Amino acid sequence: MICDDERDVLLLFGLVFGSKYHVIMVDSGEECIDRFMEEKNLGNKIHLMLLDYKMGGILGDSIARKIKGYSGTKIILNSAYNVDDVLVKELEDGNYISRYLQKPIEIDLLTDIVTKIIKN
């Protein structure tokens, strides 16, 4: 699942991963949570989420905490903004996120990270 309010990023990540994985794309924090819950209620497991940190009214750390409360979905949190190191460490130590990546992200690096996380 790709959650990002930047349309270009959403489409790029969708193109990169859509040929290898079933990809769900959403462009707001609210839609991210709603769609995640909808898929969960249908019995569909979302294995990995690429989650933007700043998406309108809801921050990515709040979404990660909510999602992890319902499932074992792995989350890669990413942001074009500087996210406080203490917050990132807290999210990683609490297993709310698997990785944090600062944008811009090299596609080859992201592809490698996604592959490793999905295999584990």
Side-chain angles (χ1 to χ4, degrees), residues 35-85:
R35 185 66 189 274
F36 177 86
M37 294 306 295
E38 179 183 311
E39 293 295 325
K40 182 185 178 310
N41 291 336
L42 290 171
N44 300 327
K45 180 166 174 49
I46 295 176
H47 299 279
L48 179 67
M49 180 181 293
L50 296 176
L51 176 61
D52 187 28
Y53 181 70
K54 274 195 172 179
M55 288 191 298
I58 301 177
L59 294 177
D61 61 313
S62 295
I63 295 169
R65 291 174 200 276
K66 235 174 234 188
I67 297 295
K68 286 303 257 192
Y70 293 110
S71 75
T73 299
K74 308 260 191 225
I75 297 172
I76 298 173
L77 184 67
N78 60 80
S79 181
Y81 302 93
N82 289 328
V83 177
D84 182 50
D85 291 340

Side-chain angles (χ1 to χ4, degrees), residues 2-55:
I2 304 168
C3 307
D4 203 304
D5 62 347
E6 292 181 48
R7 192 81 180 139
D8 293 346
V9 172
L10 192 63
L11 293 174
L12 175 63
F13 288 176
L15 283 172
V16 169
F17 296 109
S19 63
K20 192 169 184 180
Y21 305 104
H22 173 72
V23 175
I24 299 167
M25 298 188 300
V26 297
D27 63 3
S28 75
E30 294 84 4
E31 187 181 6
C32 179
I33 294 168
D34 290 347
R35 185 66 189 274
F36 177 86
M37 294 306 295
E38 179 183 311
E39 293 295 325
K40 182 185 178 310
N41 291 336
L42 290 171
N44 300 327
K45 180 166 174 49
I46 295 176
H47 299 279
L48 179 67
M49 180 181 293
L50 296 176
L51 176 61
D52 187 28
Y53 181 70
K54 274 195 172 179
M55 288 191 298

Side-chain angles (χ1 to χ4, degrees), residues 61 65 77 83-100:
D61 61 313
R65 291 174 200 276
L77 184 67
V83 177
D84 182 50
D85 291 340
V86 174
L87 175 60
V88 171
K89 181 153 178 42
E90 176 188 318
L91 292 170
E92 289 174 337
D93 289 350
N95 291 318
Y96 295 107
I97 63 171
S98 298
R99 278 297 288 271
Y100 169 74

Side-chain angles (χ1 to χ4, degrees), residues 48 74 76 98-99 112-120:
L48 179 67
K74 308 260 191 225
I76 298 173
S98 298
R99 278 297 288 271
D112 289 345
I113 291 169
V114 166
T115 301
K116 287 176 188 171
I117 290 174
I118 287 179
K119 285 184 179 180
N120 289 332

